[in-house]
Amino acid sequence: NAGVTQTPKFRVLKTGQSMTLLCAQDMNHEYMYWYRQDPGMGLRLIHYSVGEGTTAKGEVPDGYNVSRLKKQNFLLGLESAAPSQTSVYFCASSQGQGSGYTFGSGTRLTVV
Amino acid sequence: RKEVEQDPGPFNVPEGATVAFNCTYSNSASQSFFWYRQDCRKEPKLLMSVYSSGNEDGRFTAQLNRASQYISLLIRDSKLSDSATYLCVAVSGYSSASKIIFGSGTRLSIRP
């Protein structure tokens, strides 16, 4: 039972570089989410998806893009990384909005 | 004011003690509530849902007070392994437009 798998686990980027974070879930969940977690700020929603082919903005979407081409995958892209995007990124999935989440193990991103 | 507020702690209690902490929410339309546990440098994991009538899972009891807009978590006979950060979550609505807000977490440390 893999649950939610995130890759990579760690990454260091230079300012201006781009990268894609991959999230894969094997639970056939409809809903998928990308969060960032910063000290003292808690988890903040970046983007989410309520089904294959759909995406929507969360609380802090600027500087990020997402795609959900397949139900099991949710990609988070950083087009031009900035130091303010240094954070821990968590992907999560759920069967419904009122259901509990299953989180991936996180990606620690540092932008220098 | 944050939509979901928690005392950041840390709560430092001896093993075997009972500890309780609250989480207040400002959106009266919030309908679903959860407690998550997050260990250091790990992903959050669902601890329990919070039901209107209150619910218990072993040593853990969750309560909801809609009139005062807070949820609580009580841990009895605390164990060293209970040391973690506890996040509360409030969800308003069940549609794709619902809001899911995480608190910043309460840190709990159990000492021998």
Side-chain angles (χ1 to χ4, degrees):
Chain A
N1 290 336
V4 178
T5 303
Q6 285 183 239
T7 53
K9 294 191 184 305
F10 304 93
R11 186 73 185 268
V12 178
L13 284 179
K14 292 183 179 179
T15 298
Q17 285 186 315
S18 63
M19 78 164 293
T20 300
L21 282 67
L22 172 64
C23 177
Q25 54 98 1
D26 62 2
M27 297 170 287
N28 202 35
H29 283 171
E30 292 293 334
Y31 293 74
M32 296 187 75
Y33 315 83
W34 276 106
Y35 283 89
R36 60 178 290 173
Q37 188 174 37
D38 303 290
M41 303 290 289
L43 284 155
R44 292 183 293 168
L45 184 63
I46 304 171
H47 286 281
Y48 65 99
S49 168
V50 301
E52 181 179 318
T54 73
T55 63
K57 293 180 180 180
E59 182 186 355
V60 288
D62 294 341
Y64 306 95
N65 57 76
V66 288
S67 65
R68 183 110 181 258
L69 298 180
K70 294 183 178 180
K71 185 177 183 178
Q72 63 267 35
N73 296 337
F74 195 30
L75 279 61
L76 178 71
L78 284 73
E79 292 179 345
S80 179
S84 61
Q85 293 178 304
T86 293
S87 187
V88 180
Y89 292 85
F90 287 104
C91 175
S93 72
S94 69
Q95 188 53 41
Q97 287 283 47
S99 306
Y101 288 175
T102 300
F103 281 87
S105 58
T107 296
R108 294 186 177 276
L109 176 67
T110 302
V111 182
V112 298
Chain B
R1 183 188 171 191
K2 292 181 182 178
E3 288 195 52
V4 175
E5 293 203 70
Q6 296 183 252
D7 182 339
F11 285 61
N12 191 323
V13 302
E15 194 174 8
T18 295
V19 60
F21 27 85
N22 291 341
C23 166
T24 59
Y25 61 95
S26 60
N27 187 350
S28 59
S30 297
Q31 296 175 297
S32 302
F33 306 89
F34 303 89
W35 282 104
Y36 282 77
R37 172 201 168 114
Q38 186 173 24
D39 293 296
C40 187
R41 301 178 75 83
K42 298 285 188 181
E43 73 273 21
K45 292 186 178 178
L46 181 63
L47 180 65
M48 57 197 304
S49 304
V50 185
Y51 302 126
S52 297
S53 55
N55 49 300
E56 191 174 303
D57 183 1
R59 299 181 292 109
F60 297 83
T61 300
Q63 297 274 1
L64 167 63
N65 185 318
R66 287 195 184 275
S68 300
Q69 295 188 194
Y70 72 86
I71 63 173
S72 63
L73 180 67
L74 179 84
I75 306 174
R76 291 180 299 278
D77 187 24
S78 54
K79 313 291 185 191
L80 295 175
S81 57
D82 293 334
S83 296
T85 296
Y86 291 84
L87 309 174
C88 68
V89 179
V91 182
S92 58
Y94 294 100
S95 71
S96 59
S98 64
K99 286 187 68 176
I100 303 161
I101 305 295
F102 279 80
S104 299
T106 296
R107 197 150 57 92
L108 174 65
S109 177
I110 308 297
R111 63 180 187 269

